[in-house]
Amino acid sequence: RGHGGRARAALASLRGRTIGAVGDAPPGFTPSEYDPDLLESMFGLTVRPLTVEQAFDRVRAVDAARREEELAAATAQRPSLRELDADAVAGHAAVTTALRDWAAQDELAAVAVRCWPEFPTELGVCPCSSLSRLADEGVPTQCERDVHGAVTMLLLEALGAGTTYLVDTVDLDAAQNLVRLWHCGSAATKLAADPARARQSVHCNRKIGVAGDFALRPGRVVLARLTENLPGAGGSPLRLLVAAGESLPAVNRFQGNTADVRLDADATAFVHGLVTGGFPHHTVLAWTDVRPQLRAAADHLGIPVTEW
């Protein structure tokens, strides 16, 4: 009963909140598509769209004084920014300021951004570390304009999970029953294994700034993901993936942000299930075990749960 009450309170807290979404889903990223009417009816969430061009107009409108103010604050908290190209870092400061202003003005609960290809190819900066800055300040952020990722993060946060991170499952070590969870550098620095040394660098693919490059912290973790149900499944239009394990102390295996997670379930079966079950590449990594409340929330909404 206690978990059910907390789940109902968490779901109630989502109603009336707004997710900011910059641009369309990247080409081919069907899990980043969403139905605004469904999110409104099921969660009471509204999605406020902003085109990439409108976002760029906001970035270019940031004046030099405010850009320098953010640059000084970011560099004080992240000294490794001094080692990067000055123009890219200045662009990063403008992107951070523009996104922060938008989130504040429109009272956004989360910000999902089409982070490629236009940001690096047209603006000349990767927004990863800007998303990290907002996440450190309490606004959950999602790369690749993943709105269902945003809903998952907001639900986990409302259930008491604290700061979370959107990750890909990129590597399987069957002998250690371990999966490596990664994304290219937008994790909040508070999630770093060593927050004081949460290095900022260039993007692993684009080779321009600015993206985080640090290992994620160890400890018990939960993986969760709300996503569309399979065609013809009937019942709820959404389903929920859940898993858990232990994030181990490890080097940052892949440039960006990596966690080595020894799953409680069979890791090979988990990876096979992701693929054969048609689950998205993105899941949400949380460092607080809110699975009982999460199951109760899914039950309250009539959402089927696939749990490893």
Side-chain angles (χ1 to χ4, degrees):
R1 190 179 322 176
H3 295 316
R6 284 192 288 274
R8 287 190 295 274
L11 290 168
S13 76
L14 298 184
R15 306 198 72 84
R17 303 184 79 186
T18 303
I19 297 168
V22 175
D24 298 323
F29 277 50
T30 54
S32 290
E33 302 288 357
Y34 67 95
D35 179 347
D37 294 333
L38 173 65
L39 298 186
E40 172 67 39
S41 63
M42 186 170 282
F43 298 99
L45 289 165
T46 300
V47 179
R48 182 157 300 162
L50 193 73
T51 68
V52 171
E53 293 75 17
Q54 288 169 331
F56 285 2
D57 287 344
R58 288 171 176 259
V59 172
R60 294 180 179 117
V62 174
D63 64 41
R66 298 196 65 233
R67 186 183 65 235
E68 290 301 317
E69 180 183 4
E70 164 58 19
L71 182 58
T75 304
Q77 199 255 338
R78 306 170 176 203
S80 55
L81 287 171
R82 296 190 183 97
E83 302 169 19
L84 302 177
D85 176 78
D87 289 340
V89 175
H92 150 67
V95 171
T96 304
T97 302
L99 292 178
R100 183 190 290 124
D101 287 350
W102 183 41
Q105 289 163 5
D106 287 11
E107 298 182 341
L108 303 177
V111 175
V113 176
R114 176 183 166 110
C115 49
W116 62 269
E118 294 86 1
F119 271 85
T121 60
E122 296 179 23
L123 201 63
V125 63
C126 289
C128 312
S129 288
S130 294
L131 299 182
S132 169
R133 284 282 284 166
L134 266 65
D136 266 328
E137 295 164 7
V139 179
T141 55
Q142 302 77 38
C143 56
E144 294 165 335
R145 211 224 53 187
D146 187 349
V147 171
H148 283 154
V151 177
T152 308
M153 293 171 89
L154 288 173
L155 177 57
L156 287 167
E157 180 186 72
L159 292 171
T163 302
T164 59
Y165 188 43
L166 195 70
V167 294
D168 294 347
T169 301
V170 297
D171 192 25
L172 168 67
D173 185 333
Q176 295 191 67
N177 202 54
L178 183 148
V179 292
R180 291 189 174 90
L181 306 172
W182 166 92
H183 225 279
C184 48
S186 61
T189 59
K190 66 178 67 175
L191 296 178
D194 183 356
R197 298 167 64 89
R199 179 174 174 75
Q200 305 301 301
S201 184
V202 296
H203 188 277
C204 55
N205 294 328
R206 302 287 176 170
K207 305 304 180 188
I208 60 174
V210 180
D213 185 21
F214 52 87
L216 297 169
R217 75 182 188 217
R220 287 292 300 171
V221 293
V222 169
L223 276 167
R225 170 72 193 203
L226 284 162
T227 191
E228 290 184 349
N229 212 342
L230 293 172
S236 172
L238 297 180
R239 56 183 171 148
L240 175 68
L241 173 155
V242 181
E246 182 83 16
S247 177
L248 305 176
V251 299
N252 196 41
R253 183 66 65 101
F254 305 112
Q255 186 177 346
N257 303 124
T258 316
D260 286 22
V261 175
R262 180 168 292 136
L263 292 177
D264 295 345
D266 182 86
T268 302
F270 171 76
V271 172
H272 187 265
L274 287 181
V275 176
T276 61
F279 284 98
H281 56 301
H282 284 163
T283 51
V284 179
L285 186 61
W287 279 260
T288 304
D289 190 350
V290 294
R291 283 177 295 169
Q293 303 94 300
L294 192 57
R295 296 183 197 109
D299 184 62
H300 182 71
L301 294 170
I303 294 175
V305 179
T306 300
E307 184 163 0
W308 281 274

